């Protein structure tokens, strides 16, 4: 009697032949949706609707093949090319090679189940090492039909999902909260805050290192900790001494800081009284001299420049900025004072009246500047 070939070998040969035949002729599939097919003819671009339609067609093909089990209804070419689904920016390739192989195997009827060897005697138990028999082609067709139904249900659930929710209301509420007073002072981290954070991190690491050293050697940890405490105490004492020195300087009266021979050592009003008395007696030269020093004392008392008893009139002019509005009046008053006092020129009442107008303007300007500073 001729020996029979194992079922597994014949099945593998059939599957390989069917797969080669399917891949060679998949471009001639009768399933057309008008979508572009790849250059190789193995897949096509498909939307979710096209994919749903393809699954429905495949379910019908599997049902027809399970009923007829002939070459016409179980042709692998009926499966068509694979689907490359486009969903937004994502692409997913769905392959149907497993179904083509199954249809090519379903063209022939199911093989009869292999008979198991009978036990040597009725009391012997059957061996449990034998694997279970593989499923038949009809069972595989039913499983394929269930798989296609499951994929179709998944596609329908994706299509039935509601659109992404609109959070416009929540976004508006969040913007109102951020516009409140509690969040109005928020700002980006400055360089100062960044440096302070780094310093705090360094200090924490230093203290952690001191704790580790203390665990190893007690005297090293104590030295670091007490050294840090001593440095902090020295810094605090130095800062308090600086503050005490500044307050001591502030407690000294401003009159004590003015040199005795400077113009502001004598009140500007006294200089103005001297000018008026000299003008009343007709001493115009002495009156202009007193007017000049009244203006200088007034400006000097307002800290326009530091007091100095050795300063000349030209040096006073050099201390005023070129864009200072009081510079023009002081230049005019200085020239009148130098002509009459140092130049020896006789002064008249008109010269005094003109110098008095300029001096009054300078004195009034010093008063307004002080009021603005206050």
């Amino acid at each position: 009697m001729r020996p029979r070939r194992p079922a597994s070998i014949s099945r593998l040969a059939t599957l390989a032949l069917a797969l080669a035949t399917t891949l060679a002729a998949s471009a001639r599939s009768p399933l057309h949706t008008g979508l572009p097919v790849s250059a190789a003819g193995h897949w096509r671009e498909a939307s979710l609707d096209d994919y749903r339609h393809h699954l429905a067609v495949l379910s019908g093909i599997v049902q027809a093949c399970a009923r007829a089990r002939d070459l016409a209804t179980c042709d692998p070419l009926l499966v068509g090319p694979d689907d490359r689904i486009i969903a937004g920016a994502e692409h997913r390739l769905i392959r149907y090679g497993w179904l083509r192989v199954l249809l090519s195997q379903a063209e022939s009827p199911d093989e009869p189940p292999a008979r198991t060897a009978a036990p040597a005697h009725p009391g012997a138990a059957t061996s449990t090492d034998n694997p279970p028999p593989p499923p038949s082609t009809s069972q595989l067709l039913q499983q394929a039909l269930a798989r296609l139904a499951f994929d179709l249900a998944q596609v329908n659930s994706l299509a039935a999902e509601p659109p992404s929710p609109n959070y416009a209301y929540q976004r508006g509420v969040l913007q109102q909260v951020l516009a409140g007073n509690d969040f109005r002072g928020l700002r980006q981290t400055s360089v100062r805050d960044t440096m302070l954070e780094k310093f705090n991190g360094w200090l924490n690491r230093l203290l952690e290192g001191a704790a580790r050293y203390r665990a190893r050697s007690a005297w090293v940890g104590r030295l670091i900790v007490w050294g840090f405490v001593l440095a902090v105490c020295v810094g605090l004492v130095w800062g308090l001494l600086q503050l005490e020195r500044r307050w001591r300087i502030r407690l000294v009266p401003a009159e004590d800081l003015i040199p005795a021979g400077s113009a502001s050592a004598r009140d500007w009003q006294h200089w103005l009284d001297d000018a008026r008395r000299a003008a009343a007696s007709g001493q115009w030269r002495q009156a202009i001299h007193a007017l000049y020093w009244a203006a200088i004392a007034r400006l000097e008392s307002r800290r326009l420049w530091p007091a100095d008893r050795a300063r000349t009139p030209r040096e006073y002019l050099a201390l005023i900025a070129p864009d200072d509005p009081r510079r023009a009046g002081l230049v005019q008053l200085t020239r009148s004072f130098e002509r009459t006092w140092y130049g020896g020129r006789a002064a008249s009442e008109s010269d005094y009246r003109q110098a008095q107008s300029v001096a009054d303007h300078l004195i009034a300007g010093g008063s307004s500047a002080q009021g603005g500073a206050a």
Side-chain angles (χ1 to χ4, degrees):
M1 186 176 67
R2 184 179 176 180
R4 180 183 178 184
R5 291 189 303 171
S8 60
I9 297 178
S10 60
R11 182 173 298 176
L12 289 177
T14 305
L15 292 178
L17 180 61
L19 180 60
T21 305
T22 303
L23 294 178
S26 59
R28 296 180 288 106
S29 172
L31 183 63
H32 298 285
T33 57
L35 296 174
V37 182
S38 66
H42 297 163
W43 54 266
R44 61 174 184 176
E45 301 287 349
S47 62
L48 288 178
D49 293 336
D50 299 326
Y51 177 52
R52 185 188 300 106
H53 175 68
H54 196 180
L55 289 177
V57 172
L58 293 178
S59 298
I61 292 174
V62 173
Q63 290 177 359
C65 177
R67 288 193 302 266
R69 300 294 296 274
D70 55 8
L71 296 178
T73 57
C74 298
D75 190 358
L77 299 180
L78 297 176
V79 176
D82 299 333
D83 290 330
R84 189 168 181 261
I85 302 175
I86 305 174
E90 298 182 358
H91 297 77
R92 183 179 178 184
L93 183 61
I94 308 297
R95 301 182 183 274
Y96 302 107
W98 62 274
L99 185 57
R100 299 186 188 97
V101 174
L102 178 60
L103 291 179
S104 64
Q105 184 180 355
E107 294 175 356
S108 58
D110 296 343
E111 296 182 0
R115 296 180 179 179
T116 58
H121 53 86
T126 58
S127 175
T128 58
D129 296 337
N130 296 328
S136 62
T137 305
S138 300
Q139 294 176 350
L140 293 177
L141 288 173
Q142 295 299 325
Q143 294 177 6
L145 189 61
R147 176 177 175 178
L148 293 174
F150 178 77
D151 293 344
L152 184 60
Q154 281 190 330
V155 176
N156 293 331
S157 64
L158 290 177
E161 286 184 357
S164 58
N166 186 9
Y167 297 101
Y169 174 75
Q170 290 81 354
R171 191 178 295 107
V173 173
L174 183 59
Q175 291 178 356
Q176 292 180 0
V177 172
L178 294 178
N181 296 329
D182 297 337
F183 300 94
R184 188 165 297 174
L186 293 180
R187 56 183 177 83
Q188 294 183 351
T189 305
S190 61
V191 179
R192 177 176 175 272
D193 296 337
T194 303
M195 297 303 296
L196 288 177
E197 185 177 358
K198 291 182 178 179
F199 175 75
N200 292 333
W202 171 81
L203 185 59
N204 292 333
R205 290 191 297 271
L206 179 62
L207 295 178
E208 290 177 359
R212 288 195 299 268
Y213 278 119
R214 184 177 181 182
R216 298 177 183 177
S217 301
W219 67 272
V220 176
R222 293 175 183 175
L223 179 62
I224 295 177
V225 172
W226 286 109
F228 176 76
V229 173
L230 180 62
V232 172
C233 293
V234 171
L236 290 176
V237 171
W238 181 81
L240 292 176
L241 291 177
Q242 294 297 321
L243 290 176
E244 191 270 340
R245 181 182 177 186
R246 292 177 183 177
W247 282 107
R248 186 185 302 173
I249 293 176
R250 291 182 180 180
L251 292 177
V252 177
E255 292 79 5
D256 297 343
L257 301 177
I258 301 176
S262 60
S264 57
R266 189 183 184 202
D267 192 81
W268 62 274
Q269 295 180 354
H270 295 167
W271 286 107
L272 197 59
D273 293 340
D274 293 345
R276 291 170 182 171
R277 285 194 295 268
S281 60
Q283 299 176 358
W284 309 117
R285 183 169 174 268
Q286 288 78 3
I288 294 175
H289 173 269
L291 282 177
Y292 173 78
W293 287 113
I296 294 296
R298 177 59 173 170
L299 296 177
E300 196 170 88
S301 65
R302 298 305 179 189
R303 304 295 186 271
L304 184 61
W305 51 65
D308 187 2
R309 60 184 180 182
R311 190 176 292 122
T312 63
R314 290 293 173 176
E315 292 175 345
Y316 283 118
L317 288 178
L319 294 176
I320 299 183
D323 56 348
D324 195 319
R326 295 166 294 188
R327 180 179 177 81
L330 186 60
V331 168
Q332 184 179 357
L333 184 61
T334 301
R335 290 176 180 176
S336 177
F337 167 67
E338 289 179 341
R339 284 197 304 267
T340 57
W341 189 258
Y342 295 109
R345 177 181 174 182
S348 61
E349 184 178 0
S350 61
D351 295 334
Y352 168 75
R353 298 300 178 188
Q354 186 176 4
Q356 183 183 17
S357 176
V358 175
D360 291 341
H361 178 72
L362 289 174
I363 293 173
S367 177
S368 63
Q370 176 66 11

